[in-house]
Amino acid sequence: MCYKKDSQKQWILTVMSIVASILILPTLAQAQKILFEDTFDKAHDKLNGTGKWHTVSGAWAIKNGKLTQNQQNGKNLILVSDGHWDEEWNDYWFYSTIRLARGQSPLLIWRFHSDEGAGFGGKESLPPRMQESLRRHVIYWELNKDGKRSVVIRHIRHIRKEFEKTETKTKVDKGKEYWIKIENHPKGYRVFLTDNAAAAVSGNYGPALFDVKDFNIQGEGRIGFGTLEAVIEVDNVYITEPENNPFAVEAQGKLTTTWGLLKSSVVR
């Protein structure tokens, strides 16, 4: 049997359009300004400050393509190393996926400056460049506080302030992977959380859980991850310039499925 001419022509044009868009995607991804990235594909990467990460406290390792923290006691911390962070970055979007395997709460860190009162470890354990900093400022997002809610907490020179509390439904549940986006800018930040991977890849994280005006430090500060009595897994860490979605290139994976749908819809 033969295709009808009009249907065949429409099919060919549609396929050509999709193939062209997919070929363009890598170029768009390269055009995106990605300031930092780690998908933890190299199990031998060092976490002692000579690679991308600097362990401050805890039992951090790279296993099965993820950054893990396996010490379920105390407050533990890992930060981006001196060699991979520019202290002047203050207008960026922070992406990652995170899973709570056991225990209480994962912590997402940003705008981190040396603050011995935050309880993550002594000043001598921080990256060398941070040890020289006179600033005392830490912000972290506790994703499962008391098993009921998530909350953003800020330390400024040992003074702790808890920002507005989210609804119980926004906390993370054990065993489920969540997609995180933090829009950090000089005048404040917005944070997002979803367990819908497809929505996150398309850039749809839903409404911001927190929209905070915070002029202190003007947006500078290092990113990292922490735990509070918890075992966690982290993956897909990106720092980009605003408005960029580093996961958009994953749309290339839809080619095979789209091709099959197109073929099945052709009029014969």
Side-chain angles (χ1 to χ4, degrees), residues 40-51:
F40 306 103
D41 296 326
K42 298 179 180 178
H44 62 275
D45 277 359
K46 297 183 181 300
L47 305 178
N48 62 0
T50 60

Side-chain angles (χ1 to χ4, degrees), residues 5-243:
K5 288 186 178 180
D6 289 345
S7 298
Q8 185 179 27
K9 182 178 179 180
Q10 182 180 9
W11 181 78
I12 291 173
L13 290 174
T14 303
V15 169
M16 288 177 64
S17 175
I18 290 176
V19 170
S21 66
I22 290 173
L23 291 175
I24 291 171
L25 275 172
T27 303
L28 292 176
Q30 292 171 7
Q32 291 180 353
K33 184 63 173 178
I34 295 177
L35 305 175
F36 174 87
E37 63 179 305
D38 201 345
T39 54
F40 306 103
D41 296 326
K42 298 179 180 178
H44 62 275
D45 277 359
K46 297 183 181 300
L47 305 178
N48 62 0
T50 60
K52 292 184 177 181
W53 298 92
H54 181 107
T55 297
V56 178
S57 56
W60 299 90
I62 298 175
K63 296 181 180 178
N64 301 320
K66 297 181 184 294
L67 175 67
T68 65
Q69 203 294 119
N70 292 307
Q71 179 174 290
Q72 192 179 328
N73 59 6
K75 189 184 288 187
N76 305 294
L77 173 67
I78 191 167
L79 298 168
V80 175
S81 65
D82 280 347
H84 289 82
W85 188 261
D86 186 334
E87 306 297 352
E88 294 185 359
W89 288 342
N90 68 348
D91 195 5
Y92 58 79
W93 286 10
F94 172 14
Y95 295 89
S96 76
T97 57
I98 196 165
R99 186 177 80 90
L100 172 61
R102 298 194 307 276
Q104 186 172 336
S105 188
L107 308 174
L108 280 97
I109 317 289
W110 73 105
R111 295 195 183 189
F112 193 107
H113 295 271
S114 175
D115 191 331
E116 299 167 49
F120 293 105
K123 183 176 182 179
E124 66 281 356
S125 300
L126 295 171
R129 201 163 64 224
M130 292 184 67
Q131 293 181 29
E132 300 173 359
S133 174
L134 298 177
R135 292 180 173 180
R136 297 287 183 269
H137 188 98
V138 178
I139 297 177
Y140 61 89
W141 181 10
E142 188 172 338
L143 292 170
N144 193 344
K145 187 173 177 62
D146 304 321
K148 298 178 180 179
R149 57 192 171 88
S150 67
V151 63
V152 170
I153 297 173
R154 185 177 70 173
H155 283 260
I156 300 179
R157 296 190 178 278
H158 313 311
I159 298 175
R160 182 179 181 276
K161 179 179 179 182
E162 184 176 302
F163 286 104
E164 61 184 288
K165 302 174 180 63
T166 66
E167 298 292 335
T168 300
K169 63 185 179 181
T170 64
K171 74 178 181 66
V172 300
D173 295 320
K174 293 177 185 176
K176 184 181 292 187
E177 186 174 62
Y178 290 85
W179 295 66
I180 306 293
K181 180 175 73 167
I182 299 175
E183 298 177 357
N184 180 77
H185 55 90
K187 296 182 180 180
Y189 43 86
R190 301 200 304 160
V191 304
F192 301 81
L193 173 72
T194 182
D195 61 357
N196 187 330
V201 167
S202 70
N204 180 18
Y205 286 75
L209 300 184
F210 301 92
D211 190 345
V212 179
K213 300 295 184 291
D214 181 3
F215 301 96
N216 195 288
I217 305 299
Q218 295 300 306
E220 302 106 329
R222 209 168 297 210
I223 67 135
F225 297 90
T227 61
L228 181 60
E229 310 290 345
V231 172
I232 67 169
E233 295 177 350
V234 173
D235 201 0
N236 303 311
V237 180
Y238 292 91
I239 301 294
T240 76
E241 290 186 338
E243 308 297 336

